[in-house]
Coordinates of all heavy atoms in Angstrom, one line a residue:
M1 N -4.7 12.7 -0.5 CA -5.7 12.4 0.4 C -6.6 11.2 -0.1 O -7.0 10.4 0.7 CB -6.6 13.6 0.7 CG -7.7 13.5 1.7 SD -7.1 13.1 3.3 CE -8.5 13.0 4.2
N2 N -6.8 11.2 -1.4 CA -7.8 10.2 -1.9 C -7.2 8.8 -1.9 O -7.9 7.9 -1.5 CB -8.0 10.6 -3.4 CG -9.2 9.9 -3.9 OD1 -10.0 9.4 -3.2 ND2 -9.4 10.0 -5.3
I3 N -5.8 8.6 -2.0 CA -5.2 7.3 -1.9 C -5.3 6.8 -0.5 O -5.4 5.6 -0.3 CB -3.8 7.3 -2.5 CG1 -3.2 5.9 -2.6 CG2 -2.9 8.2 -1.6 CD1 -3.7 5.2 -3.7
W4 N -5.2 7.7 0.5 CA -5.3 7.2 1.9 C -6.7 6.7 2.2 O -6.8 5.7 2.9 CB -4.9 8.3 2.8 CG -3.4 8.6 2.8 CD1 -2.8 9.6 2.3 CD2 -2.4 7.7 3.3 NE1 -1.4 9.5 2.4 CE2 -1.2 8.4 3.0 CE3 -2.4 6.5 4.0 CZ2 0.0 7.8 3.4 CZ3 -1.2 6.0 4.4 CH2 0.0 6.6 4.1
L5 N -7.7 7.4 1.7 CA -9.0 6.9 1.9 C -9.3 5.6 1.3 O -9.9 4.7 1.9 CB -10.0 8.0 1.4 CG -11.5 7.7 1.6 CD1 -11.8 7.6 3.2 CD2 -12.3 8.7 1.0
I6 N -8.8 5.4 0.1 CA -9.0 4.1 -0.6 C -8.2 3.0 0.1 O -8.7 1.9 0.3 CB -8.5 4.3 -2.1 CG1 -9.4 5.2 -2.9 CG2 -8.4 2.9 -2.7 CD1 -9.0 5.6 -4.2
A7 N -7.0 3.3 0.6 CA -6.2 2.4 1.3 C -6.8 1.9 2.6 O -6.8 0.8 2.9 CB -4.8 2.9 1.5
I8 N -7.3 2.8 3.3 CA -8.0 2.5 4.6 C -9.3 1.7 4.4 O -9.4 0.7 5.1 CB -8.3 3.8 5.4 CG1 -7.0 4.5 5.9 CG2 -9.2 3.5 6.6 CD1 -7.2 5.8 6.5
L9 N -10.1 2.1 3.4 CA -11.3 1.3 3.1 C -10.9 -0.1 2.6 O -11.5 -1.1 3.0 CB -12.2 2.0 2.1 CG -12.8 3.3 2.6 CD1 -13.5 4.0 1.5 CD2 -13.8 3.0 3.8
L10 N -9.9 -0.2 1.8 CA -9.5 -1.5 1.2 C -8.9 -2.3 2.4 O -9.2 -3.5 2.5 CB -8.4 -1.3 0.2 CG -7.9 -2.5 -0.5 CD1 -9.0 -3.2 -1.3 CD2 -6.7 -2.2 -1.4
F11 N -8.2 -1.8 3.3 CA -7.6 -2.5 4.4 C -8.8 -3.1 5.3 O -8.7 -4.2 5.7 CB -6.7 -1.6 5.3 CG -6.2 -2.3 6.5 CD1 -5.2 -3.2 6.4 CD2 -6.7 -1.9 7.8 CE1 -4.7 -3.9 7.6 CE2 -6.2 -2.5 8.9 CZ -5.2 -3.5 8.8
L12 N -9.7 -2.2 5.6 CA -10.9 -2.7 6.4 C -11.7 -3.8 5.7 O -12.0 -4.8 6.4 CB -11.8 -1.5 6.7 CG -11.2 -0.4 7.7 CD1 -12.2 0.7 7.8 CD2 -10.9 -1.0 9.0
V13 N -11.9 -3.8 4.4 CA -12.6 -4.8 3.7 C -11.7 -6.1 3.7 O -12.3 -7.1 3.9 CB -12.9 -4.3 2.3 CG1 -13.4 -5.5 1.4 CG2 -14.0 -3.2 2.3
V14 N -10.5 -5.9 3.4 CA -9.6 -7.1 3.4 C -9.5 -7.7 4.8 O -9.5 -9.0 4.9 CB -8.2 -6.8 2.9 CG1 -7.2 -7.9 3.0 CG2 -8.3 -6.4 1.4
T15 N -9.4 -6.9 5.8 CA -9.4 -7.4 7.1 C -10.6 -8.2 7.5 O -10.6 -9.3 8.1 CB -9.2 -6.3 8.2 OG1 -8.0 -5.6 7.9 CG2 -9.1 -6.8 9.6
F16 N -11.8 -7.7 7.1 CA -13.1 -8.4 7.3 C -13.1 -9.7 6.6 O -13.4 -10.8 7.2 CB -14.2 -7.6 6.9 CG -15.5 -8.3 7.0 CD1 -16.1 -8.4 8.3 CD2 -16.2 -8.8 5.9 CE1 -17.4 -9.1 8.5 CE2 -17.4 -9.4 6.1 CZ -18.0 -9.6 7.3
L17 N -12.7 -9.7 5.4 CA -12.6 -11.0 4.6 C -11.7 -12.0 5.1 O -12.0 -13.2 5.2 CB -12.3 -10.7 3.1 CG -13.4 -9.8 2.4 CD1 -12.9 -9.5 1.0 CD2 -14.7 -10.6 2.3
V18 N -10.5 -11.6 5.6 CA -9.5 -12.5 6.1 C -10.0 -13.0 7.4 O -9.9 -14.3 7.7 CB -8.1 -11.8 6.3 CG1 -7.2 -12.7 7.1 CG2 -7.5 -11.5 5.0
W19 N -10.6 -12.2 8.2 CA -11.2 -12.7 9.5 C -12.3 -13.7 9.3 O -12.3 -14.7 10.0 CB -11.8 -11.5 10.3 CG -12.6 -11.9 11.5 CD1 -12.1 -12.4 12.6 CD2 -14.0 -11.8 11.6 NE1 -13.1 -12.6 13.5 CE2 -14.3 -12.3 12.9 CE3 -15.1 -11.4 10.8 CZ2 -15.6 -12.3 13.3 CZ3 -16.3 -11.4 11.3 CH2 -16.6 -11.9 12.6
K20 N -13.2 -13.5 8.3 CA -14.2 -14.5 8.0 C -13.6 -15.7 7.5 O -14.1 -16.8 7.8 CB -15.2 -13.9 6.9 CG -16.1 -12.8 7.4 CD -16.9 -13.3 8.6 CE -18.3 -13.7 8.1 NZ -19.2 -14.1 9.2
L21 N -12.6 -15.7 6.7 CA -11.9 -16.9 6.2 C -11.3 -17.7 7.3 O -11.4 -18.9 7.3 CB -10.9 -16.5 5.2 CG -10.1 -17.6 4.5 CD1 -11.0 -18.4 3.6 CD2 -9.0 -17.0 3.7
F22 N -10.6 -17.1 8.2 CA -9.8 -17.8 9.2 C -10.6 -18.0 10.6 O -10.1 -18.8 11.4 CB -8.5 -17.1 9.5 CG -7.5 -17.3 8.5 CD1 -7.2 -16.3 7.6 CD2 -6.8 -18.4 8.3 CE1 -6.2 -16.4 6.6 CE2 -5.8 -18.6 7.4 CZ -5.6 -17.6 6.5
N23 N -11.7 -17.5 10.7 CA -12.5 -17.6 11.9 C -12.9 -19.0 12.2 O -12.8 -19.5 13.4 CB -13.7 -16.6 12.0 CG -14.3 -16.5 13.4 OD1 -13.5 -16.6 14.3 ND2 -15.5 -16.2 13.4
A24 N -13.4 -19.7 11.3 CA -13.8 -21.1 11.4 C -12.6 -22.0 11.8 O -12.7 -22.9 12.7 CB -14.5 -21.6 10.2
F25 N -11.5 -21.8 11.1 CA -10.3 -22.6 11.4 C -9.8 -22.3 12.8 O -9.5 -23.2 13.6 CB -9.2 -22.2 10.4 CG -7.9 -22.9 10.7 CD1 -7.7 -24.2 10.4 CD2 -6.9 -22.2 11.2 CE1 -6.5 -24.8 10.7 CE2 -5.7 -22.8 11.5 CZ -5.5 -24.1 11.2
Y26 N -9.8 -21.1 13.2 CA -9.4 -20.7 14.6 C -10.3 -21.3 15.6 O -9.8 -21.8 16.6 CB -9.4 -19.2 14.7 CG -9.0 -18.6 16.1 CD1 -7.7 -18.8 16.5 CD2 -9.9 -17.9 16.8 CE1 -7.4 -18.2 17.8 CE2 -9.6 -17.4 18.1 CZ -8.3 -17.6 18.5 OH -8.0 -17.1 19.7
K27 N -11.6 -21.3 15.4 CA -12.5 -21.9 16.4 C -12.3 -23.4 16.4 O -12.5 -24.0 17.5 CB -13.9 -21.6 16.0 CG -14.3 -20.1 16.4 CD -15.7 -19.9 16.1 CE -16.1 -18.4 16.6 NZ -17.5 -18.2 16.3
K28 N -12.0 -24.0 15.3 CA -11.8 -25.5 15.3 C -10.6 -25.9 16.0 O -10.5 -26.9 16.7 CB -11.8 -26.0 13.8 CG -11.7 -27.5 13.6 CD -11.8 -27.9 12.2 CE -10.3 -28.0 11.8 NZ -10.1 -28.5 10.4
E29 N -9.5 -25.1 15.8 CA -8.2 -25.5 16.4 C -8.0 -25.1 17.8 O -7.1 -25.7 18.5 CB -7.1 -24.7 15.6 CG -6.9 -25.3 14.2 CD -6.5 -26.8 14.2 OE1 -5.6 -27.1 15.0 OE2 -7.0 -27.6 13.4
T30 N -8.8 -24.1 18.4 CA -8.6 -23.8 19.8 C -9.8 -23.9 20.6 O -11.0 -23.9 20.0 CB -8.1 -22.3 19.9 OG1 -9.2 -21.5 19.2 CG2 -6.9 -22.0 19.2
S31 N -9.7 -24.2 21.8 CA -10.8 -24.3 22.7 C -11.5 -23.0 23.1 O -10.8 -22.0 22.9 CB -10.4 -25.0 24.0 OG -9.6 -24.2 24.8
A32 N -12.7 -23.0 23.5 CA -13.4 -21.8 23.9 C -12.7 -21.1 25.1 O -12.6 -19.9 25.1 CB -14.8 -22.1 24.3
K33 N -12.2 -21.9 26.0 CA -11.5 -21.3 27.1 C -10.2 -20.6 26.7 O -9.9 -19.5 27.2 CB -11.1 -22.4 28.1 CG -10.5 -21.9 29.4 CD -10.3 -23.1 30.4 CE -9.7 -22.5 31.7 NZ -9.4 -23.6 32.6
L34 N -9.5 -21.2 25.8 CA -8.3 -20.6 25.3 C -8.6 -19.3 24.5 O -7.8 -18.3 24.5 CB -7.5 -21.5 24.4 CG -6.2 -21.0 23.8 CD1 -5.2 -20.7 24.9 CD2 -5.5 -22.0 22.9
R35 N -9.7 -19.3 23.7 CA -10.0 -18.2 22.9 C -10.4 -17.0 23.7 O -10.3 -15.8 23.2 CB -11.2 -18.5 22.0 CG -10.8 -19.3 20.8 CD -11.9 -19.3 19.7 NE -13.2 -19.8 20.2 CZ -13.6 -21.0 20.2 NH1 -12.9 -22.0 19.7 NH2 -14.8 -21.3 20.7
K36 N -10.7 -17.1 25.0 CA -11.1 -16.1 25.9 C -9.9 -15.4 26.5 O -10.0 -14.3 27.0 CB -12.0 -16.5 26.9 CG -13.4 -16.9 26.4 CD -14.4 -17.3 27.5 CE -15.7 -17.7 26.9 NZ -16.6 -18.1 27.9
T37 N -8.7 -16.0 26.4 CA -7.5 -15.4 27.0 C -7.0 -14.3 26.2 O -7.1 -14.3 25.0 CB -6.5 -16.5 27.2 OG1 -6.0 -16.9 26.0 CG2 -6.9 -17.6 28.1
W38 N -6.4 -13.3 26.8 CA -5.9 -12.1 26.2 C -4.8 -12.5 25.2 O -4.7 -11.9 24.1 CB -5.4 -11.2 27.2 CG -4.9 -9.9 26.7 CD1 -5.7 -8.8 26.3 CD2 -3.5 -9.5 26.4 NE1 -4.9 -7.8 25.8 CE2 -3.6 -8.2 25.9 CE3 -2.3 -10.1 26.5 CZ2 -2.4 -7.6 25.5 CZ3 -1.2 -9.5 26.2 CH2 -1.3 -8.2 25.7
G39 N -3.9 -13.4 25.6 CA -2.7 -13.8 24.8 C -3.1 -14.4 23.4 O -2.6 -14.0 22.4
A40 N -4.1 -15.3 23.5 CA -4.6 -16.0 22.3 C -5.3 -15.0 21.4 O -5.1 -15.1 20.1 CB -5.6 -17.1 22.6
K41 N -6.1 -14.0 21.9 CA -6.7 -13.0 21.1 C -5.7 -12.1 20.4 O -5.8 -11.8 19.2 CB -7.6 -12.2 21.9 CG -8.9 -12.9 22.3 CD -9.8 -11.9 23.2 CE -10.9 -12.6 23.8 NZ -11.8 -11.6 24.5
M42 N -4.7 -11.8 21.1 CA -3.6 -10.9 20.6 C -2.9 -11.5 19.5 O -2.7 -10.9 18.5 CB -2.7 -10.5 21.7 CG -1.5 -9.7 21.2 SD -1.3 -8.3 22.1 CE 0.5 -8.3 22.1
Y43 N -2.5 -12.8 19.6 CA -1.8 -13.5 18.5 C -2.7 -13.6 17.3 O -2.3 -13.5 16.1 CB -1.2 -14.8 18.9 CG 0.0 -14.7 19.8 CD1 0.0 -15.1 21.1 CD2 1.1 -14.0 19.3 CE1 1.1 -15.0 21.9 CE2 2.2 -13.9 20.1 CZ 2.3 -14.3 21.4 OH 3.3 -14.2 22.2
Y44 N -3.9 -14.0 17.5 CA -4.9 -14.2 16.4 C -5.1 -12.9 15.7 O -5.0 -12.8 14.4 CB -6.2 -14.6 17.0 CG -7.3 -14.8 16.0 CD1 -7.3 -15.7 14.9 CD2 -8.4 -13.9 16.0 CE1 -8.2 -15.8 14.0 CE2 -9.4 -14.0 15.0 CZ -9.3 -15.0 14.0 OH -10.3 -15.0 13.1
W45 N -5.3 -11.8 16.4 CA -5.6 -10.4 15.7 C -4.3 -9.9 15.1 O -4.3 -9.2 14.1 CB -6.2 -9.5 16.6 CG -7.7 -9.8 16.6 CD1 -8.4 -10.4 17.7 CD2 -8.7 -9.5 15.6 NE1 -9.7 -10.5 17.3 CE2 -9.9 -10.0 16.1 CE3 -8.6 -9.0 14.3 CZ2 -11.0 -10.0 15.3 CZ3 -9.7 -9.0 13.6 CH2 -10.9 -9.4 14.0
H46 N -3.2 -10.2 15.7 CA -1.9 -9.8 15.1 C -1.7 -10.5 13.7 O -1.3 -9.9 12.7 CB -0.7 -10.2 16.0 CG 0.6 -9.8 15.5 ND1 1.8 -10.1 16.2 CD2 1.0 -9.1 14.4 CE1 2.8 -9.6 15.5 NE2 2.4 -9.0 14.4
F47 N -2.0 -11.8 13.7 CA -1.9 -12.5 12.4 C -2.9 -12.0 11.4 O -2.5 -11.7 10.2 CB -2.3 -14.0 12.7 CG -2.5 -14.8 11.5 CD1 -1.4 -15.2 10.7 CD2 -3.8 -15.2 11.1 CE1 -1.6 -16.0 9.6 CE2 -3.9 -16.0 9.9 CZ -2.9 -16.4 9.2
I48 N -4.2 -11.7 11.8 CA -5.2 -11.2 10.8 C -4.7 -9.8 10.3 O -4.8 -9.6 9.1 CB -6.6 -11.1 11.6 CG1 -7.1 -12.4 12.0 CG2 -7.6 -10.3 10.7 CD1 -7.3 -13.4 10.8
I49 N -4.2 -8.9 11.2 CA -3.9 -7.6 10.7 C -2.6 -7.6 9.8 O -2.5 -6.9 8.8 CB -3.6 -6.7 12.0 CG1 -5.0 -6.4 12.6 CG2 -3.0 -5.4 11.6 CD1 -5.0 -5.6 13.8
M50 N -1.7 -8.5 10.2 CA -0.5 -8.6 9.3 C -0.8 -9.1 7.9 O -0.3 -8.6 6.9 CB 0.6 -9.5 10.0 CG 1.2 -8.9 11.3 SD 1.9 -7.3 11.0 CE 3.4 -7.8 10.3
I51 N -1.6 -10.2 7.8 CA -2.0 -10.7 6.6 C -2.8 -9.7 5.8 O -2.6 -9.5 4.6 CB -2.8 -12.0 6.8 CG1 -2.0 -13.1 7.4 CG2 -3.4 -12.5 5.4 CD1 -0.8 -13.5 6.6
S52 N -3.7 -9.0 6.4 CA -4.5 -8.0 5.7 C -3.6 -6.8 5.2 O -3.9 -6.3 4.2 CB -5.6 -7.4 6.7 OG -6.4 -8.5 7.2
G53 N -2.7 -6.4 6.0 CA -1.8 -5.4 5.6 C -1.0 -5.8 4.4 O -0.8 -5.0 3.4
L54 N -0.5 -7.0 4.4 CA 0.3 -7.5 3.3 C -0.6 -7.5 2.0 O -0.2 -7.1 0.9 CB 0.8 -8.9 3.6 CG 1.6 -9.5 2.4 CD1 2.9 -8.8 2.2 CD2 1.9 -11.0 2.8
I55 N -1.8 -8.0 2.1 CA -2.7 -8.1 1.0 C -3.1 -6.7 0.5 O -3.1 -6.5 -0.7 CB -3.9 -8.9 1.3 CG1 -3.6 -10.4 1.5 CG2 -5.0 -8.8 0.2 CD1 -4.7 -11.3 2.1
T56 N -3.3 -5.8 1.4 CA -3.6 -4.4 1.0 C -2.5 -3.8 0.3 O -2.6 -3.1 -0.8 CB -4.0 -3.6 2.3 OG1 -5.1 -4.2 2.9 CG2 -4.4 -2.2 1.9
V57 N -1.2 -3.9 0.8 CA -0.1 -3.4 0.1 C 0.1 -3.9 -1.3 O 0.4 -3.2 -2.3 CB 1.2 -3.6 1.0 CG1 2.4 -3.3 0.2 CG2 1.1 -2.7 2.2
L58 N -0.1 -5.2 -1.4 CA 0.0 -5.8 -2.8 C -1.1 -5.3 -3.7 O -0.8 -5.1 -4.9 CB -0.1 -7.4 -2.6 CG 1.1 -8.1 -2.0 CD1 0.7 -9.6 -1.8 CD2 2.3 -8.0 -2.8
I59 N -2.3 -5.2 -3.2 CA -3.4 -4.7 -4.1 C -3.0 -3.3 -4.5 O -3.2 -2.9 -5.7 CB -4.7 -4.8 -3.4 CG1 -5.2 -6.2 -3.3 CG2 -5.8 -4.0 -4.2 CD1 -6.4 -6.4 -2.5
I60 N -2.7 -2.4 -3.5 CA -2.3 -0.9 -3.9 C -1.2 -0.9 -4.9 O -1.2 -0.1 -5.8 CB -2.0 -0.2 -2.6 CG1 -3.2 -0.1 -1.7 CG2 -1.5 1.2 -2.9 CD1 -4.3 0.9 -2.2
S61 N -0.1 -1.8 -4.7 CA 1.0 -1.6 -5.6 C 0.6 -2.2 -7.0 O 1.1 -1.6 -8.0 CB 2.2 -2.5 -5.0 OG 1.9 -3.8 -4.9
L62 N -0.2 -3.1 -7.0 CA -0.7 -3.6 -8.4 C -1.6 -2.5 -9.0 O -1.5 -2.4 -10.3 CB -1.5 -4.9 -8.2 CG -0.6 -6.1 -7.9 CD1 -1.6 -7.4 -7.7 CD2 0.3 -6.4 -9.0
L63 N -2.4 -1.8 -8.3 CA -3.2 -0.8 -8.9 C -2.4 0.4 -9.3 O -2.8 1.1 -10.3 CB -4.2 -0.3 -7.8 CG -5.4 -1.3 -7.6 CD1 -6.3 -0.7 -6.5 CD2 -6.2 -1.6 -8.8
K64 N -1.2 0.7 -8.7 CA -0.4 1.8 -9.1 C 0.4 1.5 -10.4 O 0.9 2.4 -11.1 CB 0.6 2.2 -8.1 CG -0.1 2.9 -6.9 CD 0.9 3.6 -6.2 CE 0.2 4.8 -5.4 NZ 1.1 5.9 -5.1
L65 N 0.5 0.2 -10.8 CA 1.3 -0.1 -12.0 C 0.5 0.3 -13.3 O -0.3 0.5 -13.7 CB 1.5 -1.6 -12.1 CG 2.5 -2.2 -11.0 CD1 2.6 -3.7 -11.2 CD2 3.8 -1.6 -11.3

């Protein structure tokens, strides 16, 4: 149970950090009208969640070593 709590908290923190890192780039590359569409939001958040998941898995696996 303890590892799941750590993993979820780590995932949320990493997601926030990745979002903050890529948000300025996303706003620079896309128009405000495009950012309001459902499709653009979905691809953006899919990217953020996939990168965050990968980073979280790498951190957890390194901590288990």
Side-chain angles (χ1 to χ4, degrees):
M1 179 67 179
N2 201 12
I3 188 74
W4 288 106
L5 182 62
I6 293 170
I8 290 170
L9 290 174
L10 183 63
F11 176 75
L12 291 175
V13 168
V14 169
T15 301
F16 177 76
L17 293 174
V18 169
W19 171 71
K20 287 301 259 181
L21 180 70
F22 285 104
N23 196 30
F25 175 76
Y26 178 66
K27 284 184 178 180
K28 187 179 93 173
E29 291 295 319
T30 58
S31 66
K33 185 177 180 180
L34 180 64
R35 283 193 306 268
K36 290 181 181 179
T37 63
W38 183 82
K41 285 181 188 179
M42 174 130 143
Y43 284 120
Y44 175 68
W45 280 104
H46 182 180
F47 170 74
I48 296 295
I49 289 173
M50 293 301 284
I51 296 296
S52 299
L54 178 67
I55 292 171
T56 303
V57 167
L58 288 173
I59 291 172
I60 294 287
S61 64
L62 287 175
L63 288 176
K64 284 199 161 209
L65 291 176

